[in-house]
């Protein structure tokens, strides 16, 4: 996965935006004001930090040397992924989507509905 594909994967999620709150070269992808991914898209090797379920984070780190605890982040909830070609693009996309889902699941229901998030339970009146 190259920088353009990573950026497209992040911005392809409903409501996702790219901001630069820390420095001009550090892309921070957010939804609902919350961070889903952080990457210096011009760095080599390309890396991205993604939120992750703690149990899954441990498993992914054990299975893939390119996945390590989040750099300068809560290491229980964040992974830093080196995109050096050793991971399938599909896995990286799934990790981006998982990060998004973890963040959106904690947003107020009204925001989840606006984002048309599939995880929101639709209430019906009978």
């Amino acid at each position: 996965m190259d920088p353009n594909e990573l950026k497209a994967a992040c911005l392809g999620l409903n409501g996702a935006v790219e901001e630069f709150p820390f420095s001009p070269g550090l892309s921070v992808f957010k939804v609902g004001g919350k961070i889903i991914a952080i990457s210096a898209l011009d760095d080599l090797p390309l890396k991205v930090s993604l939120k992750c379920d703690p149990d899954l984070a441990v498993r992914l780190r054990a299975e893939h040397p390119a996945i390590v605890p989040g750099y300068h982040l809560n290491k229980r909830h964040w992974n830093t992924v080196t995109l050096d070609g050793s991971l399938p693009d599909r896995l990286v996309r799934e990790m981006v989507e998982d990060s998004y889902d973890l963040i959106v699941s904690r947003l107020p229901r009204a925001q989840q509905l606006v984002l048309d998030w599939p995880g929101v339970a639709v209430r019906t009146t009978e």
Side-chain angles (χ1 to χ4, degrees):
M1 180 171 284
D2 68 28
N4 291 329
E5 292 168 327
L6 175 61
K7 184 174 181 172
C10 292
L11 292 177
L13 301 166
N14 285 349
V17 297
E18 180 181 22
E19 297 179 357
F20 301 90
F22 305 120
S23 70
L26 188 62
S27 294
V28 177
F29 299 95
K30 295 181 175 183
V31 64
K34 306 290 184 187
I35 298 172
I36 57 173
I38 303 170
S39 181
L41 296 173
D42 292 333
D43 281 3
L44 289 175
L46 178 62
K47 295 180 181 182
V48 62
S49 293
L50 299 163
K51 190 147 187 156
C52 191
D53 172 79
D55 294 330
L56 178 58
V58 170
R59 276 184 290 166
L60 289 169
R61 293 172 197 162
E63 294 171 7
H64 306 282
I67 302 174
V68 298
Y71 180 72
H72 285 298
L73 297 162
N74 181 323
K75 295 182 182 348
R76 184 167 188 263
H77 295 277
W78 288 85
N79 280 335
T80 295
V81 182
T82 301
L83 303 177
D84 58 5
S86 66
L87 299 172
D89 288 354
R90 180 174 170 222
L91 175 61
V92 177
R93 280 190 204 89
E94 287 172 1
M95 293 175 67
V96 169
E97 291 168 6
D98 287 348
S99 181
Y100 175 87
D101 287 340
L102 283 169
I103 296 303
V104 175
S105 71
R106 301 234 182 241
L107 294 176
R109 186 173 186 280
Q111 278 185 284
Q112 293 173 347
L113 289 169
V114 168
L115 293 169
D116 196 27
W117 184 58
V120 67
V122 178
R123 294 183 189 148
T124 58
T125 52
E126 296 182 30

